[in-house]
Amino acid sequence: MIVGNGEVGDEGRAAIAAADFVVRFNECRSYAASPGRTDAVAVCNTGRPGKAMTGDTGWRTLAGVIEASEIWCVRDPEKFAEMRAPLALSHPELDDFCDDYTSQFKAFCKEAGKRHVVVEKVIHEAVDDALAAFHPEPYVVPSTGLIAIAEAFRRFPGADIGLAGFGHAGWDGHPFAAERQLVDGYIAAGRLKRYAAEPPHSSSQGA
């Protein structure tokens, strides 16, 4: 199960409880609504989110983070180093977007006895290629949630993978409309199953 930060719902909670492997995101905001299991926390390891998590000892004490045996850094430092100069021209307001905190997450994992995973840039680039089929408006990067889905496909080929708490909405630097179309295609092909919250909330936030 890959659990975003939106509404989970009863069906999603049951699927999370029954899953063999559960991925949450960043501050594990889904945990309060669906406690009981976290195996990996996928983190945005660059920019302000990365700085906030590694600089805040409170993040380390969150129940989901404590439970997790793995921390997935979804932004390959090499990829984001390559992006720094182009972003300085296209989005000068994102001057700290590519600041990298991977080494701090790695140090935390070593101290806490957790596995440290860096999602390689080939995954990011494959996601960009897949999104191109839906002709998204110019965007900065795919969402953490979509990168985690791609990593789960790589890590668990042939597994039944469920989604809960994905609203496909949030920061305008992510191509959420195209991401929804891509995920809907994966669902139609049987690669993913979506557990929708009941009743749906249009304001829910994806990962």
Side-chain angles (χ1 to χ4, degrees):
M1 284 293 295
I2 304 175
V3 189
N5 291 322
E7 298 287 340
V8 171
D10 291 342
E11 195 178 47
R13 277 189 286 273
I16 292 163
D20 294 319
F21 196 92
V22 175
V23 182
R24 301 184 194 265
F25 295 92
N26 294 322
E27 297 90 359
C28 302
R29 294 200 304 271
S30 64
Y31 192 91
S34 57
R37 182 168 193 138
T38 308
D39 296 280
V41 179
V43 297
C44 176
N45 51 297
T46 70
R48 294 168 196 172
K51 182 179 182 179
M53 284 182 279
T54 57
D56 178 10
T57 55
W59 176 79
R60 302 177 177 218
T61 66
L62 296 173
V65 175
I66 292 171
E67 285 182 11
S69 58
E70 304 184 7
I71 302 295
W72 294 4
C73 288
V74 302
R75 295 180 170 179
D76 187 326
E78 181 180 344
K79 175 69 177 176
F80 279 72
E82 294 169 357
M83 291 173 55
R84 186 181 289 276
L87 273 180
L89 298 176
S90 64
H91 294 78
E93 73 279 10
L94 299 180
D95 58 337
D96 58 353
F97 188 78
C98 295
D99 292 354
D100 180 52
Y101 297 90
T102 306
S103 62
Q104 288 91 326
F105 282 108
K106 183 177 181 179
F108 163 67
C109 287
K110 183 176 181 181
E111 176 186 332
K114 303 181 187 296
R115 182 183 184 192
H116 179 242
V117 176
V118 176
V119 179
E120 297 180 358
K121 72 172 186 173
V122 293
I123 297 291
H124 184 129
E125 291 166 355
V127 168
D128 282 330
D129 290 344
L131 287 167
F134 302 98
H135 308 290
E137 294 293 323
Y139 64 92
V140 180
V141 289
S143 70
T144 302
L146 195 60
I147 298 295
I149 289 170
E151 175 65 9
F153 284 158
R154 183 201 67 79
R155 175 85 170 269
F156 305 110
D160 293 328
I161 299 175
L163 298 182
F166 273 69
H168 302 290
W171 181 52
D172 61 9
H174 297 319
F176 279 119
E179 291 195 8
R180 179 182 287 278
Q181 290 178 284
L182 180 59
V183 168
D184 285 348
Y186 290 148
I187 292 168
R191 299 186 71 187
L192 290 173
K193 179 174 181 179
R194 187 197 302 278
Y195 294 88
E198 295 292 345
H201 295 272
S202 61
S203 63
S204 63
Q205 298 293 298

